[in-house]
Amino acid sequence: MALAAFIFDVDGTLADTERDGHRVAFNQAFTEAGLDWHWDEGLYGGLLAVTGGKERMRYYLDRYRPDWVRPADLDGLIARLHAAKTRFYTSLLAQGGIPLRPGVVRLLGEARAAGIRLAIATTTTPENVTVLLEHALAPEAVAWFDVIAAGDVVPAKKPAPDIYQYALAKLGLAPEVCLAFEDSENGLRAARGAGLRTVVTVNDYTRDQDFADALLVLDQFGEPQQPFRVLGSRTRAPLSGAGVFDLSLAQALAGA
Ligand code: XBP
Ligand code: MG
């Protein structure tokens, strides 16, 4: 079957945003608010079990700070902290602080040239996506995507399939003619729940997660001078000698 669209996760897939991006911005927001909360790299790995920044702060309090005295308006505090975190995070992105992962620019360019439609399905705040695309990809890159499904547009975040179902509905496409790209088990479960075949590129936080349900698991999309390593595969498509995730491999996966 001919591929019609690629649907990309953002955090961890297009760019390694979590450890040196979102985490740092959360800590800046906590410090600015005079809170004694601090998320080190190890703790943050555990907090990534919950997607969505507001949801992650609530989880942190429930799990790690049961004795911390909650204000009457906890929702208001979390909303203010999250707005500050988004301000810090987007200003880091606007300084070009976070590059795209290897092979991402190449793959997006190949897809556009071949008329494969592009979409995004992420739990992060929409503003974070546009600022990343504009600064790490190209000033006009937002327009390359037919659909940017992000943040609170659906109430149930990944691993719920809702954000992928929303993106598919906006694209007007069936899952069979699309491929999803993810970096995490929560993301994979969301994409698979929407019926999407999924390619996973892992990162340091997600490497040891369960990707048994992925079509293909790679360390990265790869470049000619920096080939990918295959970490897992359920496809019959030939992979030997590939080294670079390109359109012919995507098409082979879709047909296999
Ligand atoms: C990304 C997330 C997001 C970001 C923070 O998950 O969980 O919450 O960490 O962004 P995925 P916000 O890659 O699976 O979409 O603070 O804007 O929510
Ligand atoms: Mg992700």
Side-chain angles (χ1 to χ4, degrees), residues 50-178:
V50 172
T51 61
K54 297 184 288 295
E55 293 81 355
R56 191 168 298 145
M57 284 188 267
R58 270 196 205 92
Y59 174 65
Y60 166 70
L61 288 177
D62 291 346
R63 171 96 196 258
Y64 296 95
R65 304 298 297 267
D67 298 333
W68 189 77
V69 180
R70 274 79 171 149
D73 183 17
L74 181 60
D75 286 353
L77 172 65
I78 286 185
R80 284 192 301 280
L81 287 171
H82 195 250
K85 177 260 168 177
T86 300
R87 174 166 43 81
F88 283 119
Y89 179 67
T90 50
S91 102
L92 179 72
L93 292 177
Q95 292 159 31
I98 306 212
L100 298 177
R101 293 190 64 187
V104 168
V105 174
R106 176 188 53 71
L107 182 58
L108 292 175
E110 289 176 13
R112 291 183 72 222
I116 292 184
R117 297 167 68 193
L118 299 176
I120 274 172
T122 175
T123 65
T124 205
T125 306
E127 205 181 330
N128 297 345
V129 182
T130 51
V131 179
L132 176 73
L133 295 178
E134 284 168 4
H135 289 271
L137 193 52
E140 72 287 2
V142 170
W144 299 359
F145 292 82
D146 284 2
V147 175
I148 296 184
D152 299 330
V153 69
V154 292
K157 295 191 174 171
K158 299 175 188 176
D162 303 39
I163 196 74
Y164 277 102
Q165 288 164 341
Y166 178 94
L168 285 168
K170 289 279 177 191
L171 284 167
L173 292 174
E176 292 77 20
V177 295
C178 303

Side-chain angles (χ1 to χ4, degrees), residues 2-255:
L3 273 173
F6 286 163
I7 310 180
F8 287 89
D9 169 51
V10 175
D11 295 302
T13 302
L14 293 184
D16 250 326
T17 51
E18 294 291 6
R19 190 190 60 201
D20 301 327
H22 290 293
R23 185 187 68 87
V24 171
F26 278 115
N27 285 329
Q28 287 173 316
F30 302 154
T31 302
E32 184 184 63
L35 294 167
D36 67 344
W37 309 359
H38 180 78
W39 294 356
D40 64 29
E41 292 179 16
L43 172 65
Y44 195 67
L47 295 174
L48 285 172
V50 172
T51 61
K54 297 184 288 295
E55 293 81 355
R56 191 168 298 145
M57 284 188 267
R58 270 196 205 92
Y59 174 65
Y60 166 70
L61 288 177
D62 291 346
R63 171 96 196 258
Y64 296 95
R65 304 298 297 267
D67 298 333
W68 189 77
V69 180
R70 274 79 171 149
D73 183 17
L74 181 60
D75 286 353
L77 172 65
I78 286 185
R80 284 192 301 280
L81 287 171
H82 195 250
K85 177 260 168 177
T86 300
R87 174 166 43 81
F88 283 119
Y89 179 67
T90 50
S91 102
L92 179 72
L93 292 177
Q95 292 159 31
I98 306 212
L100 298 177
R101 293 190 64 187
V104 168
V105 174
R106 176 188 53 71
L107 182 58
L108 292 175
E110 289 176 13
R112 291 183 72 222
I116 292 184
R117 297 167 68 193
L118 299 176
I120 274 172
T122 175
T123 65
T124 205
T125 306
E127 205 181 330
N128 297 345
V129 182
T130 51
V131 179
L132 176 73
L133 295 178
E134 284 168 4
H135 289 271
L137 193 52
E140 72 287 2
V142 170
W144 299 359
F145 292 82
D146 284 2
V147 175
I148 296 184
D152 299 330
V153 69
V154 292
K157 295 191 174 171
K158 299 175 188 176
D162 303 39
I163 196 74
Y164 277 102
Q165 288 164 341
Y166 178 94
L168 285 168
K170 289 279 177 191
L171 284 167
L173 292 174
E176 292 77 20
V177 295
C178 303
L179 266 189
F181 298 94
E182 273 289 351
D183 71 302
S184 71
E185 184 176 343
N186 277 333
L188 174 65
R189 285 170 60 195
R192 294 295 295 138
L196 287 153
R197 283 170 295 186
T198 308
V199 174
V200 170
T201 51
V202 302
N203 56 58
D204 287 346
Y205 275 133
T206 66
R207 202 169 297 279
D208 298 326
Q209 295 179 352
D210 179 2
F211 296 123
D213 207 20
L215 195 53
L216 184 60
V217 186
L218 305 172
D219 65 335
Q220 47 154 329
F221 289 122
E223 295 284 18
Q225 302 307 319
Q226 190 181 347
F228 63 59
R229 280 192 306 123
V230 178
L231 307 177
S233 167
R234 291 170 70 91
T235 178
R236 293 188 299 268
L239 297 171
S240 57
V244 164
F245 189 93
D246 58 10
L247 280 200
S248 60
L249 181 49
Q251 200 64 68
L253 291 182

